[in-house]
Amino acid sequence: DNSTLIACQQTKNPSKEAAILIANGKVVAWFQDRSEMGPRSLGNRSLLADPRLHAMADFLNLKVKNRESFRPYAPSILNEYIHEWFDLSLNSPFMSFVGKVLPDKRRLIPAVAHIDGTARLQSVYRDQNPLFYSLIDYFREITEVPLLLNTSFNLAGDPIVETPEDAIKCFLKSNIDCLFLHDKLITKVNSHSEGNYIRWSNKSLTE
């Protein structure tokens, strides 16, 4: 039997629940709405983590994404806070521009501040992606940091996930802690767990 048990529960406020999990050190897969076009994940097919944690970049590279240890990660920041955290005169909604992290902020977000003190950032707007914006805003309320580490929802050598099936497959073969699939929170369970669960196989989902 090659199937795996996963728990799947409805969430009333996925943005808030995801923010709490991230603030507690969890790596969250975030799958919402339509996928983005272009080379970056901008909040609909993303892996999200706490930028305050020194070891998070290494953990993501070595234990989640399975890629080279020197590869950096980018921050997604609420647009109105950019100038409080970065020396950047441009808006960057497509994660296209690099700015200097302000010196007094660099120690607060080590997981997204590169060795030269720069970051390739994404500015997030409430009207363009309200769900992703609210997630970051909840994280700001919890931590006073208005940004998240945001990287593409895929593993090394794989394309960014496109479908819900892609998302679950990627989640199950990685060290990602949990998956928000629209308004469902999916977690891994073992065969001894009690309660409701779904048995996932490569071909189908069955209760």
Side-chain angles (χ1 to χ4, degrees):
D1 184 1
N2 293 322
S3 61
T4 303
L5 297 180
I6 57 176
C8 181
Q9 63 187 74
Q10 190 87 20
T11 59
K12 293 182 178 179
N13 192 335
S15 291
K16 185 175 184 178
E17 293 188 35
I20 292 169
L21 288 165
I22 294 167
N24 281 283
K26 302 300 185 183
V27 177
V28 168
W30 186 249
F31 183 105
Q32 303 293 337
D33 201 25
R34 296 175 294 178
S35 60
E36 301 92 348
M37 293 184 64
R40 311 295 177 203
S41 287
L42 304 174
N44 285 351
R45 301 290 187 277
S46 291
L47 297 180
L48 305 171
D50 192 336
R52 303 171 301 162
L53 301 180
H54 285 270
M56 183 55 73
D58 286 340
F59 176 78
L60 284 169
N61 278 328
L62 300 176
K63 300 296 185 180
V64 177
K65 302 274 280 188
N66 302 312
R67 66 184 198 175
E68 300 87 351
S69 61
F70 62 82
R71 298 278 291 273
Y73 288 99
S76 293
I77 182 170
L78 302 178
N79 182 63
E80 59 267 38
Y81 291 91
I82 287 179
H83 301 300
E84 295 181 21
W85 289 78
F86 297 95
D87 182 9
L88 184 70
S89 59
L90 301 168
N91 293 327
S92 184
F94 302 109
M95 207 181 278
S96 302
F97 300 107
V98 173
K100 283 274 189 183
V101 185
L102 295 180
D104 63 322
K105 297 295 197 295
R106 198 171 301 173
R107 63 179 179 79
L108 302 177
I109 51 172
V112 295
H114 304 174
I115 193 169
D116 63 354
T118 64
R120 177 174 47 79
L121 61 97
Q122 175 199 5
S123 47
V124 181
Y125 300 81
R126 188 191 301 272
D127 60 342
Q128 292 179 357
N129 193 335
L131 195 64
F132 189 43
Y133 182 99
S134 67
L135 195 170
I136 302 173
D137 202 31
Y138 279 122
F139 184 80
R140 178 195 61 80
E141 291 179 2
I142 297 168
T143 67
E144 299 184 350
V145 174
L147 60 99
L148 292 174
L149 183 157
N150 176 16
T151 188
S152 57
F153 188 177
N154 68 312
L155 306 182
D158 293 338
I160 297 173
V161 302
E162 176 66 24
T163 66
E165 184 178 55
D166 293 340
I168 295 173
K169 286 180 179 179
C170 182
F171 168 61
L172 290 179
K173 67 180 182 180
S174 72
N175 286 309
I176 299 167
D177 291 301
C178 55
L179 164 62
F180 283 84
L181 185 62
H182 303 306
D183 60 351
K184 304 291 193 301
L185 171 57
I186 297 175
T187 53
K188 301 163 191 168
V189 298
N190 59 52
S191 59
H192 303 294
S193 298
E194 297 181 356
N196 297 324
Y197 60 82
I198 290 171
R199 185 174 295 279
W200 164 264
S201 71
N202 287 333
K203 293 183 179 180
S204 64
L205 277 173
T206 56
E207 293 293 341

